[in-house]
Amino acid sequence: MPENVVYDVVGVGFGPANLSLAVALTEHADDLTSLFLDRAPSMSWHGGMLLPGAKMQVAFLKDLATFRNPVSRFSFVAYLHDTGRLAQFVNNRDFFTTRRDFHAYLDWAEAGLADQVRRGVTVTGIEPTGNGDSMRVLMEGANGTDSTEARNVVISTGLVPKMPPGIAEDQYVWHSSRFLDNYRAVRGPLRRVGVAGAGQSAAELVRYLYDHLPDAEIFAFVPSYGYSVADSTPFANRVFDPQGMDDFYSAPAQTKSAIWQYHKNTNYSVVDDGVIRDLYQRAYDEETSGRDRLHFHTMARVESAKRMADDTRVTVYSMLSDSSYELDLDVLICATGYDPMDPAKLLGGMDGCLARDEEGRYRVRRDHRLVTASESACGVYLQGGTEHTHGLSASLLSNIAIRSGEIADSVAAAKRARR
Ligand code: FDA
Ligand code: NAP
């Protein structure tokens, strides 16, 4: 790490959100220095769920840059052009590319910004330096501990996998986020596999396992009566527009809560129409063919899992019978969702400087900067973890280009003010 350098921006995490910020800083009219740190050795955008054929849930134009700068050299269209696939992509007439193609786009964009990125380092804390003008970012990597200094830190460490209470991950109980790594490491055949959940991850996994394990029984533990469709109709989709973020931010608390209630079915515990139909078709085909290896346990929640000899014994609570039953499986996959990004652990050393609301959540300015208890020249910004202030798009890709532009503008304005 170069000594005596104080970066204008140090980014913690280098997933799509901070990659988009790196693009915004590179394209900014002001000269802003930056360094991005990520614990992963290479881009791994939800690599554990990079299933073949899985589609994006956002239109390709909501890429790293286009909504902020439609002529950016880091747009998805520029990537297609650069890789010689623009015509083929357009022939397909599909706004929603595969997750694998989007991942290749992220790799391509990162390659153009490699000098701003340091990988293989985990950020462990952020502390004030004491001079009031900068912060120290602490990190650990293969070569031990290190640190760097920044005037602004932008935290974007991503969603946090959530297991059902009382169930821990082990060799035979996996969270969906680590599915592919675990699946590839399995020794011996899988004959009975369970998937808990009724969101997009669960539905994609049930379809994948059913198709890839032709001799296995697949058990889906679905808490509702059936999978519900993700509302991606045009009026509902406006909740993800930049204007939707503005409206949410300025709305009173009860309106924020109403927006969540009305529109959480755009994203949470819901499944794309195509995947639901694929699953239904498989279930129907089983009836006509007389095969019976796809089992939907509806109104059912997984309560516990424990290893018994060669099996994982799962206890399932059925809301239909108001009783629990046990089932022996080879593997249980908990596609039970995520908690929002939580920067509190990283910000422990700054805690006294940061303002919180009456529910103990960070106060966040419209420009995504945390409110400080007193006037401060240093800025901590969040990309993610701002669902309570900026709404449903906080953890999604929909607004990353705009949000990154807003952060870059805010950092530049503060730098000019300092001068
Ligand atoms: P992301 O999680 O992508 O990146 C965080 C980065 O921080 C990681 O690279 C991690 O290694 C790093 N990191 C974490 N802690 C660190 C530390 N202490 N030190 C250093 N580095 C650290 N949304 C959407 O709009 N459209 C979509 O199609 C999808 N698809 C999708 C698929 C799946 C399977 C999931 C689980 C989620 C989605 N999402 C989504 C939502 C998802 O949150 C979004 O796509 C982005 O991943 C958000 O980007 P971020 O950069 O904020 O987080
Ligand atoms: P999710 O939408 O939060 O769904 C979690 C599911 O688990 C819910 O149905 C929940 O039911 C259920 N659940 C919780 N505890 C349970 C238990 N004990 N037993 C059985 N079920 C239980 O999570 P997700 O599906 O992982 O999706 C998270 C995000 O990733 C979303 O934004 C999604 O769009 C995205 N994603 C995208 C793709 C893609 O782009 N192709 C793929 C996967 C995921 P309750 O709601 O009743 O608690």
Side-chain angles (χ1 to χ4, degrees), residues 116-136:
Q116 294 171 47
V117 190
R118 187 167 163 198
R119 287 198 165 275
V121 283
T122 301
V123 174
T124 52
I126 299 158
E127 294 173 349
T129 49
N131 64 15
D133 196 33
S134 66
M135 289 162 284
R136 183 150 290 285

Tab-separated table of all heavy atoms in Angstrom, residues 116-136:
chain	number	residue	atom	x	y	z
A	116	GLN	N	-7.385	0.503	-9.931
A	116	GLN	CA	-8.050	1.083	-8.751
A	116	GLN	C	-8.486	0.031	-7.741
A	116	GLN	O	-9.163	0.358	-6.766
A	116	GLN	CB	-9.293	1.862	-9.189
A	116	GLN	CG	-8.987	3.093	-10.011
A	116	GLN	CD	-10.263	3.680	-10.575
A	116	GLN	OE1	-11.241	3.842	-9.877
A	116	GLN	NE2	-10.252	4.000	-11.858
A	117	VAL	N	-8.166	-1.253	-8.008
A	117	VAL	CA	-8.736	-2.326	-7.192
A	117	VAL	C	-7.646	-3.141	-6.517
A	117	VAL	O	-6.640	-3.479	-7.141
A	117	VAL	CB	-9.574	-3.297	-8.071
A	117	VAL	CG1	-10.359	-4.258	-7.186
A	117	VAL	CG2	-10.484	-2.532	-8.994
A	118	ARG	N	-7.877	-3.457	-5.239
A	118	ARG	CA	-6.997	-4.419	-4.572
A	118	ARG	C	-7.880	-5.542	-4.049
A	118	ARG	O	-8.798	-5.309	-3.238
A	118	ARG	CB	-6.257	-3.727	-3.426
A	118	ARG	CG	-5.219	-4.642	-2.827
A	118	ARG	CD	-4.262	-3.907	-1.920
A	118	ARG	NE	-3.579	-4.871	-1.080
A	118	ARG	CZ	-2.956	-4.587	0.028
A	118	ARG	NH1	-2.904	-3.340	0.458
A	118	ARG	NH2	-2.375	-5.532	0.735
A	119	ARG	N	-7.623	-6.749	-4.509
A	119	ARG	CA	-8.444	-7.907	-4.138
A	119	ARG	C	-7.716	-8.784	-3.127
A	119	ARG	O	-6.505	-8.662	-2.943
A	119	ARG	CB	-8.824	-8.709	-5.381
A	119	ARG	CG	-9.881	-8.011	-6.229
A	119	ARG	CD	-10.552	-8.966	-7.188
A	119	ARG	NE	-11.772	-8.398	-7.742
A	119	ARG	CZ	-12.955	-8.452	-7.159
A	119	ARG	NH1	-13.109	-9.054	-6.002
A	119	ARG	NH2	-14.013	-7.918	-7.732
A	120	GLY	N	-8.476	-9.689	-2.488
A	120	GLY	CA	-7.872	-10.611	-1.519
A	120	GLY	C	-7.604	-9.954	-0.174
A	120	GLY	O	-6.828	-10.476	0.623
A	121	VAL	N	-8.259	-8.813	0.093
A	121	VAL	CA	-8.111	-8.169	1.406
A	121	VAL	C	-9.488	-7.936	2.023
A	121	VAL	O	-10.406	-7.432	1.368
A	121	VAL	CB	-7.349	-6.822	1.327
A	121	VAL	CG1	-5.868	-7.040	1.170
A	121	VAL	CG2	-7.886	-5.934	0.229
A	122	THR	N	-9.615	-8.312	3.283
A	122	THR	CA	-10.872	-8.122	4.009
A	122	THR	C	-10.754	-6.882	4.877
A	122	THR	O	-9.814	-6.772	5.681
A	122	THR	CB	-11.152	-9.350	4.907
A	122	THR	OG1	-11.222	-10.497	4.065
A	122	THR	CG2	-12.448	-9.192	5.684
A	123	VAL	N	-11.662	-5.958	4.694
A	123	VAL	CA	-11.648	-4.758	5.541
A	123	VAL	C	-12.216	-5.132	6.907
A	123	VAL	O	-13.280	-5.761	7.006
A	123	VAL	CB	-12.450	-3.618	4.876
A	123	VAL	CG1	-12.568	-2.417	5.823
A	123	VAL	CG2	-11.777	-3.199	3.567
A	124	THR	N	-11.492	-4.767	7.959
A	124	THR	CA	-11.891	-5.179	9.311
A	124	THR	C	-12.409	-4.017	10.150
A	124	THR	O	-13.033	-4.224	11.186
A	124	THR	CB	-10.704	-5.832	10.037
A	124	THR	OG1	-9.581	-4.930	9.959
A	124	THR	CG2	-10.316	-7.161	9.391
A	125	GLY	N	-12.143	-2.797	9.738
A	125	GLY	CA	-12.626	-1.665	10.523
A	125	GLY	C	-12.304	-0.338	9.863
A	125	GLY	O	-11.450	-0.259	8.967
A	126	ILE	N	-13.025	0.684	10.318
A	126	ILE	CA	-12.788	2.052	9.829
A	126	ILE	C	-12.738	2.940	11.073
A	126	ILE	O	-13.635	2.868	11.920
A	126	ILE	CB	-13.939	2.495	8.896
A	126	ILE	CG1	-14.018	1.554	7.686
A	126	ILE	CG2	-13.759	3.942	8.454
A	126	ILE	CD1	-15.358	1.539	7.010
A	127	GLU	N	-11.673	3.733	11.172
A	127	GLU	CA	-11.505	4.532	12.390
A	127	GLU	C	-11.165	5.967	12.026
A	127	GLU	O	-10.512	6.198	10.999
A	127	GLU	CB	-10.322	3.986	13.215
A	127	GLU	CG	-10.580	2.605	13.766
A	127	GLU	CD	-9.334	2.039	14.435
A	127	GLU	OE1	-8.238	2.634	14.273
A	127	GLU	OE2	-9.468	1.004	15.107
A	128	PRO	N	-11.540	6.924	12.887
A	128	PRO	CA	-11.082	8.295	12.634
A	128	PRO	C	-9.569	8.374	12.863
A	128	PRO	O	-9.034	7.672	13.715
A	128	PRO	CB	-11.838	9.124	13.688
A	128	PRO	CG	-12.528	8.170	14.591
A	128	PRO	CD	-12.350	6.777	14.090
A	129	THR	N	-8.871	9.210	12.118
A	129	THR	CA	-7.419	9.315	12.316
A	129	THR	C	-7.086	10.278	13.449
A	129	THR	O	-5.963	10.305	13.934
A	129	THR	CB	-6.721	9.831	11.044
A	129	THR	OG1	-7.433	10.984	10.605
A	129	THR	CG2	-6.662	8.788	9.969
A	130	GLY	N	-8.061	11.092	13.798
A	130	GLY	CA	-7.798	12.052	14.869
A	130	GLY	C	-7.519	13.447	14.333
A	130	GLY	O	-7.608	14.426	15.056
A	131	ASN	N	-7.200	13.572	13.043
A	131	ASN	CA	-6.946	14.920	12.506
A	131	ASN	C	-8.227	15.561	11.963
A	131	ASN	O	-8.199	16.683	11.480
A	131	ASN	CB	-5.858	14.875	11.428
A	131	ASN	CG	-6.283	14.065	10.211
A	131	ASN	OD1	-7.473	13.769	10.049
A	131	ASN	ND2	-5.332	13.699	9.374
A	132	GLY	N	-9.347	14.804	12.032
A	132	GLY	CA	-10.643	15.366	11.624
A	132	GLY	C	-10.834	15.438	10.124
A	132	GLY	O	-11.897	15.813	9.641
A	133	ASP	N	-9.828	15.087	9.373
A	133	ASP	CA	-9.889	15.267	7.929
A	133	ASP	C	-9.829	13.957	7.156
A	133	ASP	O	-9.943	13.931	5.946
A	133	ASP	CB	-8.703	16.166	7.506
A	133	ASP	CG	-8.895	16.715	6.108
A	133	ASP	OD1	-10.061	16.951	5.744
A	133	ASP	OD2	-7.891	16.862	5.393
A	134	SER	N	-9.615	12.844	7.868
A	134	SER	CA	-9.516	11.566	7.157
A	134	SER	C	-9.845	10.402	8.088
A	134	SER	O	-9.969	10.578	9.306
A	134	SER	CB	-8.110	11.381	6.566
A	134	SER	OG	-7.173	11.255	7.605
A	135	MET	N	-9.984	9.227	7.471
A	135	MET	CA	-10.255	8.002	8.240
A	135	MET	C	-9.212	6.960	7.851
A	135	MET	O	-8.668	7.000	6.752
A	135	MET	CB	-11.643	7.461	7.881
A	135	MET	CG	-12.773	8.297	8.400
A	135	MET	SD	-14.306	7.911	7.536
A	135	MET	CE	-14.085	8.725	6.000
A	136	ARG	N	-9.009	6.022	8.762
A	136	ARG	CA	-8.080	4.926	8.473
A	136	ARG	C	-8.906	3.677	8.212
A	136	ARG	O	-9.791	3.324	8.994
A	136	ARG	CB	-7.142	4.743	9.669
A	136	ARG	CG	-6.086	3.689	9.444
A	136	ARG	CD	-4.800	3.972	10.199
A	136	ARG	NE	-4.039	5.117	9.674
A	136	ARG	CZ	-3.311	5.112	8.563
A	136	ARG	NH1	-3.218	4.035	7.819
A	136	ARG	NH2	-2.673	6.193	8.156
